DNA sequence: TGTACATCAGTGAACGCGCGTTCACTGATGTAC
DNA sequence: TGTACATCAGTGAACGCGCGTTCACTGATGTAC
């Protein structure tokens, strides 16, 4: 072998990383194979040494975002009570920073309406990211609210995604922040109306 | 003039209508000018007798949806109490029918993440539809809940849009209906925790 | 009312362009001796 | 350790294709007489 296997893996990783960023920033159609390769410091011809097609890259890029995103908290959150953790996740997700940087943010909020149309692989990958988002909220939610916590988690995730979509549509930054604030408060108020989870605090 | 002005207007209307349907079903990029013209019973060349560009068609198609959508109730809803009206709108928006027919449904849920990238006209048109969705909930919301009703309306609209986006990503119909149910219940429960509006009933 | 003319919505071939993809080639590096 | 060779990640020109757009043309219909 010419270059070491590590070298190729590293290049592959860089391509996927750039793709994931650019797809979220500009959309699946607007980003060309040449764009991604250029951003990774390569020319477009080498693409097919790594991927069978653009569709394959899309699927891998979306899958690569497993467990990432703005609702992900650091190790410092380990000691937080569930309710506090939830509030922090909601705050981070519905933050102006997240709104302004779709390339670093939640892929469901960035590509939710278009990825499903791009082929089965892209659709499945995004459906998995969507379920992953929901599951991240599960452990922070009250067990004995009016609604099963699994359903609460779904609804919280939906509100976050919708809030970000609406905020990004709004060209005026102040109006956009108002949207984010309204959604943050709505979600947290709704959960406060239900009892706290019992397992912690 | 050759054909009457009415004839041209009628053709124009048909093109916009087909465009609005197809864009919501398949996305702005996937639908070509020839697709729309074909669906309207014409050939692609005639397009520029009606529109300056595809972008112009997109903007007009999105604008044409003002005041439409699945949260729109018939005249029968005039007699309903605000709370009942709201429940009906939420139920219709987060319905399996709406999920299955994006071409007839809410344009924000159909194109929310991609329309903003398609040029200023498309973005502005969708931002207006987004505000229109919010305003539709305003009269049905309680005045003296914990949150100003303007913010409640924003949060309700966001939850609906996000719920539909998530439900459409889910390939399994039962799982999708669960998402819709979870969001319906979350929204209505959250609003019931607040006092009823005073102006009616 | 009938006829000649002008209009212009609509036709369909053609255009340039960017895209995804292919391919002959290159040259840096791992391997065999 | 040094040298010849084989490998294959990466290059860049080229391909076919579909798209948005243009344009010379058509022919049904409104208008003038």
């Amino acid at each position: 072998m010419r270059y070491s296997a590590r070298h190729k893996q590293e290049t592959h990783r860089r391509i996927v990383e750039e793709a994931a960023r650019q797809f979220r920033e500009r959309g699946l159609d607007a980003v060309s194979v040449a764009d991604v390769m250029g951003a990774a410091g390569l020319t477009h011809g080498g693409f097919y040494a790594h991927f069978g097609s653009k569709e394959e890259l899309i699927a891998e890029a979306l899958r690569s975002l497993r467990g990432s995103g703005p609702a992900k908290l650091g190790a410092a959150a380990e000691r937080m009570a569930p309710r506090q953790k939830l509030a922090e996740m909601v705050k981070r997700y519905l933050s102006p920073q997240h709104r302004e940087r779709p390339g670093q943010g939640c892929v469901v909020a960035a590509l939710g309406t278009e990825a499903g149309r791009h082929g089965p692989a892209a659709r499945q990958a995004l459906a998995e990211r969507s379920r992953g988002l929901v599951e991240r909220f599960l452990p922070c939610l009250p067990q004995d609210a009016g609604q099963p916590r699994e359903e609460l988690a779904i609804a919280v995730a939906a509100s976050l995604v919708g809030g970000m979509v609406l905020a990004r549509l709004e060209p005026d930054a102040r109006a956009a922040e108002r949207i984010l604030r309204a959604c943050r408060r709505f979600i947290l108020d709704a959960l406060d109306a239900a009892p706290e989870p019992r397992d912690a605090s």
Side-chain angles (χ1 to χ4, degrees), chain A:
Chain A
M1 275 186 288
R2 185 197 145 204
Y3 295 105
S4 63
R6 152 169 295 165
H7 174 92
K8 185 172 182 183
Q9 276 174 24
E10 169 57 24
T11 303
H12 190 96
R13 190 199 59 72
R14 220 167 60 238
I15 297 170
V16 171
E17 186 179 300
E18 280 300 331
R21 183 178 65 76
Q22 293 207 44
F23 284 146
R24 283 178 287 176
E25 272 174 10
R26 302 197 282 128
L28 300 177
D29 285 319
V31 175
S32 70
V33 166
D35 286 339
V36 173
M37 293 300 277
L42 300 163
T43 56
H44 65 279
F47 179 75
Y48 294 89
H50 291 276
F51 305 93
S53 65
K54 185 185 179 182
E55 184 68 18
E56 215 174 288
L57 170 67
I58 291 173
E60 191 170 331
L62 300 191
R63 265 189 269 112
S64 79
L65 297 166
R66 179 195 299 270
S68 72
K72 183 81 175 177
L73 300 180
E78 282 305 317
R79 279 172 281 112
M80 286 185 189
R83 177 60 177 71
Q84 194 186 351
K85 219 152 132 185
L86 181 81
E88 185 65 22
M89 286 195 288
V90 169
K91 185 182 155 194
R92 287 202 194 186
Y93 194 103
L94 293 174
S95 67
Q97 290 78 9
H98 186 201
R99 171 176 176 266
E100 285 158 19
R101 304 178 82 199
Q104 324 287 329
C106 174
V107 68
V108 182
L111 300 171
T113 70
E114 64 186 287
R117 294 190 267 252
H118 234 272
R123 178 178 171 148
Q124 199 190 325
L126 205 66
E128 280 164 22
R129 295 291 71 72
S130 168
R131 287 187 218 110
L133 183 67
V134 169
E135 277 159 26
R136 198 169 300 161
F137 294 104
L138 260 185
C140 308
L141 289 167
Q143 286 276 25
D144 45 7
Q147 209 171 357
R149 81 194 316 201
E150 286 78 13
E151 294 199 357
L152 275 184
I154 290 170
V156 168
S159 297
L160 294 179
V161 169
M164 188 48 65
V165 169
L166 260 53
R168 287 198 179 132
L169 280 172
E170 182 56 59
D172 178 56
R174 290 184 84 93
E177 291 199 26
R178 186 176 178 227
I179 292 171
L180 297 176
R181 191 182 344 113
C183 294
R184 287 196 302 264
R185 193 163 157 191
F186 181 76
I187 296 169
L188 295 175
D189 280 5
L191 293 171
D192 279 342
E196 289 282 314
R198 289 181 177 168
D199 48 347
S201 94

